[in-house]
Structures are given as C-alpha cells and as structure tokens.
Amino acid sequence: MKLSAISDPNTKINFPDIENKHLMEVMQLCLQFDPRKRPGIQELLEHPYLTAQSCISNSSTPNKEPHLKHMIDQLAQLTPNSLGKISFMMQQLHPDSKPE
C-alpha cells in the first residue's frame, strides 16, 4: 500500500493537525509529488517558518513542538569546526554581510 502511494501522483498526504501553520505549509510545499512544484532552497529560506521574524513572533516552545527541541539538541552538539563550516556556508548565501 505505502509503496504504491509513493508512485501514485493522486495520493494525498493527510497531515496531522499542527499548531504552527507555517510549519504545516513548509511540509506541504516540500512533500508535493511533482518535484518541479516543490520550492527551491532560496524560497524555503525566505519562508516565514524559517525567518527570524517567524521565530520571534511564534510563541511555540520546544515542549509544544518536539522538532524544535531536536534542532536545539543538534545545535548543542556542534563543534567549533562544524560551526565554522556553517558560518562559511551562510556567508556564501549572503556575501554582503560581514561576521561580527
């Protein structure tokens, strides 16, 4: 059943009710059957769910949304070397910004 659903463009994904509507929208955008309809990285990076404004205005806590706790836990495991790599990649995305 699941394997046939993956290859069937008419299969609809039933998403659970999620409090964060921006997260729901990102999941729906990314999980579209037709890859040409999925957003690109730049579009995703500009989505309200991934922007600082969304983080500031969203009152969610890691307890309400376990994925946030998972992301925080992953960030806590980063080494200085991996942080340097992330910083380099971010600078490539925004070459006009300078690290402080």
Side-chain angles (χ1 to χ4, degrees):
M1 167 74 179
K2 289 183 183 183
L3 189 56
S4 64
I6 291 172
S7 61
D8 181 3
N10 296 317
T11 299
K12 300 293 181 205
I13 299 174
N14 295 320
F15 293 95
D17 212 17
I18 297 176
E19 184 177 325
N20 187 323
K21 298 307 175 194
H22 291 303
L23 171 59
M24 174 66 79
E25 184 177 27
V26 167
M27 290 188 340
Q28 290 171 333
L29 288 169
C30 291
L31 295 175
Q32 293 185 73
F33 181 81
D34 185 350
R36 295 171 294 185
K37 293 182 179 179
R38 296 177 198 152
I41 291 175
Q42 191 61 42
E43 186 179 347
L44 284 173
L45 289 173
E46 294 170 359
H47 191 278
Y49 179 70
L50 297 174
T51 62
Q53 184 61 36
S54 174
C55 293
I56 292 168
S57 65
N58 185 356
S59 62
S60 297
T61 63
N63 292 333
K64 286 186 178 178
E65 296 189 33
H67 71 281
L68 293 177
K69 181 178 182 333
H70 178 71
M71 287 172 42
I72 292 168
D73 291 343
Q74 285 183 323
L75 286 172
Q77 300 300 316
L78 294 176
T79 64
N81 188 36
S82 60
L83 288 171
K85 290 178 185 177
I86 292 170
S87 175
F88 176 77
M89 290 179 354
M90 296 301 288
Q91 288 173 9
Q92 298 302 309
L93 291 172
H94 300 284
D96 56 323
S97 64
K98 303 270 191 268
E100 294 181 7

